[in-house]
Amino acid sequence: MFLISCVKVNKKNINNKKPITSFYELEAISIDGDKIKMSDFKGKNILIVNVASKCGYTPQYKSLQELYETYKDELYILAFPSNQFLGQEPGSNNQIKSFCEVNFGVKFDIFEKISVKGKNIHPIYRWLSKADLNGWNNQGPKWNFSKYLIDKNGNLVGLWGPKIEPQSKEILDLLKN
């Protein structure tokens, strides 16, 4: 029952609440080891996804790449590998990068493997899952391929569980606004 309920997550910031702290103050390390400031992504929508290569939802990499190709002038996709859900991302950063390129032709941004929950949670996922930081949402990812959308102004506008496809109407409608 838990898995079924967690994959159907579909929450939107219907009251247009603004973040308490800026997403753009955060940074992360790319899959290649480079420090990346989130302020580099200002002015475009940002879809953040926790990913894994051995998950039933792994084929969503293809949909994410198609979404990126369609909206690359107005959308960044930031993929964060995590091994916290049944050990479904056991690979090294190099193995993850190779897997994504060879199997899905991924061109969007992939970051180093991180913790998306728990005591070692990465600051980006802390921001995404704490209302006292993002303004309204207290829900972290419950499984691989959970999606968070940040608008062009740095506001968290929605989150979706892994069952929601990257090119779903729910996500596309917000990208078109």
Side-chain angles (χ1 to χ4, degrees):
M1 184 63 155
F2 168 75
L3 186 55
I4 291 170
S5 66
C6 78
V7 296
K8 291 185 176 183
V9 172
N10 184 345
K11 289 175 65 176
K12 293 185 185 95
N13 184 357
I14 56 174
N15 295 322
N16 296 318
K17 293 192 175 180
K18 304 296 181 211
I20 310 305
T21 64
S22 175
F23 174 77
Y24 299 126
E25 293 173 5
L26 302 170
E27 45 189 48
I29 306 297
S30 75
I31 198 99
D32 295 318
D34 300 319
K35 186 184 286 189
I36 307 294
K37 296 178 180 188
M38 295 302 109
S39 60
D40 293 349
F41 303 116
K42 274 186 181 180
K44 289 189 181 183
N45 293 305
I46 303 165
L47 186 66
I48 296 177
V49 186
N50 62 302
V51 296
S53 60
K54 298 192 181 301
C55 175
Y57 293 104
T58 300
Q60 285 189 18
Y61 269 123
K62 181 177 189 261
S63 294
L64 287 165
Q65 181 58 34
E66 290 170 354
L67 183 68
Y68 172 73
E69 288 171 8
T70 301
Y71 291 94
K72 64 183 169 191
D73 291 336
E74 57 210 59
L75 173 69
Y76 288 107
I77 296 177
L78 310 183
F80 288 90
S82 177
N83 197 37
Q84 291 185 284
F85 300 103
L86 289 181
Q88 294 182 342
E89 187 50 87
S92 68
N93 287 331
N94 286 337
Q95 290 169 325
I96 294 165
K97 181 180 177 183
S98 177
F99 174 84
C100 292
E101 289 173 352
V102 169
N103 294 291
F104 298 101
V106 167
K107 302 286 185 227
F108 53 82
D109 294 289
I110 304 174
F111 291 81
E112 70 178 358
K113 190 161 46 171
I114 63 165
S115 292
V116 298
K117 63 180 185 167
K119 70 175 188 167
N120 295 320
I121 189 171
H122 189 278
I124 288 176
Y125 274 84
R126 182 176 297 112
W127 187 91
L128 291 169
S129 59
K130 300 284 184 197
D132 59 347
L133 300 174
N134 66 52
W136 66 278
N137 176 57
N138 276 316
Q139 185 169 345
K142 303 290 187 206
W143 201 254
N144 302 310
F145 289 88
S146 295
K147 299 151 199 79
Y148 294 81
L149 184 63
I150 298 169
D151 71 11
K152 296 174 183 180
N153 299 311
N155 302 310
L156 178 62
V157 295
L159 72 115
W160 300 270
K163 190 167 187 161
I164 306 297
E165 282 288 326
Q167 296 185 64
S168 67
K169 180 178 179 352
E170 298 95 321
I171 294 174
L172 292 177
D173 284 350
L174 288 174
L175 288 177
K176 293 174 183 173
N177 287 339

